[in-house]
Structure formats: structure tokens, C-alpha cells
Amino acid sequence: DSGDYPLTMPGPLWKKFRYNFCEFICVLIRQCQYSIIYDEYMMDTVISLLTGLSDSQVRAFRHTSTLAAMKLMTALVNVALNLSIHQDNTQRQYEAERNKMAGKRANEKLELLLQKRKELQENQDEIENMMNSIFKGIFVHRYRDAIAEIRAICIEEIGVWMKIELFPKLELFTNRFKDRIVSMTLDKEYDVAVEAIRLVTLILQGSEDALSNEDCENVYHLVYSAHRPVAVAAGEFLHRKLFSRHDPQAEEALAKRRGRSSPNGNLIRM
């Protein structure tokens, strides 16, 4: 199983290839988002193909299909965001029209808005089904892949989805796989560790109670890492946890870890 294939080849030409490959997927979904992706053929075929390839023993197939699937997922999340915005706008228009006086109310417009609202909801349900297929069929298997580059792709993209804040089911994922995500902050491959720390920071940002003090302590000491990107990512986590707001429990836990009486004394030498 050769490690030489377009995604791993060095040089600006192959870097550009990777960028164009990812951009193609985004543009494809963006151009098809109003009709073709709902034809129950194209997306089913693409997702089925990528799911099969992502389980291949051949590294090139597994790596390339995982990257494609994660970018496809991100593109679908953006489509779902647009649908959500259109749904909100349609609902407001419907309520404004319905609240008009009987003589000024346009029943035909109400019917059209109801039909549009129903269509948008159906499209939203279809998009969510597609995202669930990718998430369950590819992501939950490949974020633990033996290849560091594949793990890093998954962790990086889930961070993108969390920033978009459209995928509430991610909370179920973080609850179920939180321990694994936290352990990945110690990954032997620095790129994976950096993405894992960034993801843990986003989890913290989304819910203050999602991480225990023990989880946080696993990240704190990484500010001393010899690898600068890891140290920087850990520093950002530490700043958000301890300095963005007053957290006596976290300060006490860190003070005990360093064996100092002052809750802030352990930060002086950072």
C-alpha cells in the first residue's frame, strides 16, 4: 500500500490539486442545492460510493474518500444553514400575513407561504438524512483511523461544523466520544493533537459543563509542549477556561496540580 498519491505528494502543484479538489465538492453542492441534490439519485450514489471507499484497506482510497466526505458534509451543513434561514423568513412572512385584518389578508399568499414552508422542511429533513449518513457511515469510523492525516481531517471538519452551530446532534457525539476526543489531544502526531485541542476548546465554548476538571487538566500541561502549535492551542484553551470568566473550581484544580496555594500562581511562569 504505497503512501504516494495526490493528497500526500509534496510541492505547490499537489497542494493546489488538494485545494481544487475540495473546492470542486463545495461548488458542486452549492450549484445543485436548489434541485439536483433532492433527486434521490445523485447524493445517494455519491454518499454510497464514499462510504464504501472510506472503508477500504488501500490508504489512498480511504484518505481521499474521507477528505471528500468531510468536505461534502461541510457543504451540506451550509445548505442546511441556508434552509434554516429561509424557513425563518417564510415563517415571519406567514405570521405577518396571518395577523392582518380579515379584509386585508391575502389567503392565496397564505397558502403559498404554507406550501413553501412545507417544502423547505422536507428539504431540511432530506439534508439532515444525508448528513446523518455521512456522520454515522464515515466520520465515526475514520476519526479513529490509524493514519494521522485521516484523523486530523475529521477532527478539523467537526470543528467547522461546530462553528457554524447548526448541528445540534453533535452534542450527542461529544457526550458519547468526549473521552476519545480528549485523549487525542495527546496524539503522537502533532497535527492531530492541535486539531483535537481546538475541538475541545469549541466544546468548552459550546457548553461549560461538557468537560470535567480532569478533562481540562489533560490539556493544561500542553502549554509546556516543545511543539509550538500544540502549546499555542493549549494556551488558547487555558485562556478561555480560566481567564474568559472566573472559574473557582478550575483554578483550584490547577493550583492543586501545581502544588501552590495561590489559584493564579501556577500561571505566572507560562
Side-chain angles (χ1 to χ4, degrees):
D1 185 9
S2 173
D4 293 332
Y5 49 94
L7 293 187
T8 61
M9 299 289 281
L13 178 64
W14 295 111
K15 186 176 180 180
K16 185 176 181 180
F17 167 83
R18 180 190 175 110
Y19 172 83
N20 289 336
F21 177 69
C22 296
E23 185 66 14
F24 165 74
I25 295 169
C26 295
V27 172
L28 175 66
I29 298 304
R30 190 162 62 240
Q31 293 297 322
C32 298
Q33 65 178 306
Y34 298 110
S35 59
I36 300 176
I37 60 173
Y38 305 110
D39 68 3
E40 299 183 356
Y41 177 74
M42 186 188 83
M43 292 303 296
D44 288 352
T45 303
V46 171
I47 293 172
S48 178
L49 174 65
L50 294 178
T51 302
L53 289 174
S54 70
D55 198 37
S56 172
Q57 294 299 311
V58 179
R59 170 177 169 170
F61 291 166
R62 198 165 74 253
H63 188 180
T64 306
S65 59
T66 299
L67 175 62
M70 295 303 99
K71 294 302 179 181
L72 181 63
M73 179 76 152
T74 299
L76 289 173
V77 168
N78 281 306
V79 171
L81 177 61
N82 288 333
L83 285 171
S84 180
I85 292 170
H86 287 314
Q87 281 180 300
D88 290 342
N89 291 338
T90 301
Q91 183 64 28
R92 281 195 295 268
Q93 291 173 16
Y94 174 78
E95 290 175 356
E97 190 65 33
R98 188 183 59 181
N99 291 333
K100 289 181 180 179
M101 295 177 61
K104 295 183 179 180
R105 189 184 304 150
N107 289 329
E108 283 189 16
K109 186 175 182 180
L110 283 174
E111 288 296 326
L112 288 173
L113 288 170
L114 276 175
Q115 182 61 34
K116 183 178 180 182
R117 187 175 66 178
K118 180 182 178 182
E119 181 182 335
L120 288 170
Q121 185 58 55
E122 289 174 351
N123 289 346
Q124 184 84 14
D125 292 342
E126 285 196 48
I127 294 297
E128 288 186 6
N129 286 336
M130 295 174 198
M131 292 194 296
N132 283 335
S133 294
I134 297 172
F135 191 78
K136 294 177 180 179
I138 301 176
F139 181 90
V140 296
H141 302 293
R142 299 281 68 82
Y143 90 104
R144 298 174 295 180
D145 198 276
I147 304 300
E149 291 92 334
I150 297 176
R151 298 197 301 275
I153 288 169
C154 294
I155 297 300
E156 179 180 0
E157 288 304 308
I158 195 176
V160 174
W161 310 336
M162 293 182 73
K163 286 178 182 177
I164 295 175
E165 296 181 350
L166 184 75
F167 203 6
K169 292 181 181 178
L170 283 177
E171 184 177 346
L172 299 175
F173 170 83
T174 53
N175 289 339
R176 182 178 177 186
F177 302 107
K178 183 198 68 174
D179 291 344
R180 171 64 180 172
I181 296 170
V182 172
S183 71
M184 290 175 74
T185 63
L186 303 176
D187 198 284
K188 62 182 180 180
E189 297 292 339
Y190 290 132
D191 289 347
V192 177
V194 169
E195 295 300 338
I197 295 168
R198 289 172 179 168
L199 178 55
V200 170
T201 304
L202 285 171
I203 293 173
L204 177 67
Q205 181 179 336
S207 174
E208 295 289 349
D209 300 324
L211 300 172
S212 67
N213 282 338
E214 184 179 355
D215 294 330
C216 296
E217 288 173 30
N218 285 331
V219 182
Y220 292 156
H221 74 277
L222 293 175
V223 297
Y224 297 108
S225 173
H227 187 68
R228 182 170 176 78
V230 171
V232 169
E236 291 171 353
F237 175 87
L238 183 65
H239 181 273
R240 178 164 294 279
K241 181 63 177 174
L242 294 185
F243 297 132
S244 294
R245 66 180 185 84
H246 180 62
D247 189 337
Q249 283 188 330
E251 291 177 354
E252 182 181 354
L254 198 54
K256 287 180 179 179
R257 182 182 177 88
R258 300 304 182 195
R260 299 184 177 93
S261 58
S262 170
N264 292 321
N266 56 325
L267 304 175
I268 293 174
R269 297 182 182 179
M270 289 184 180

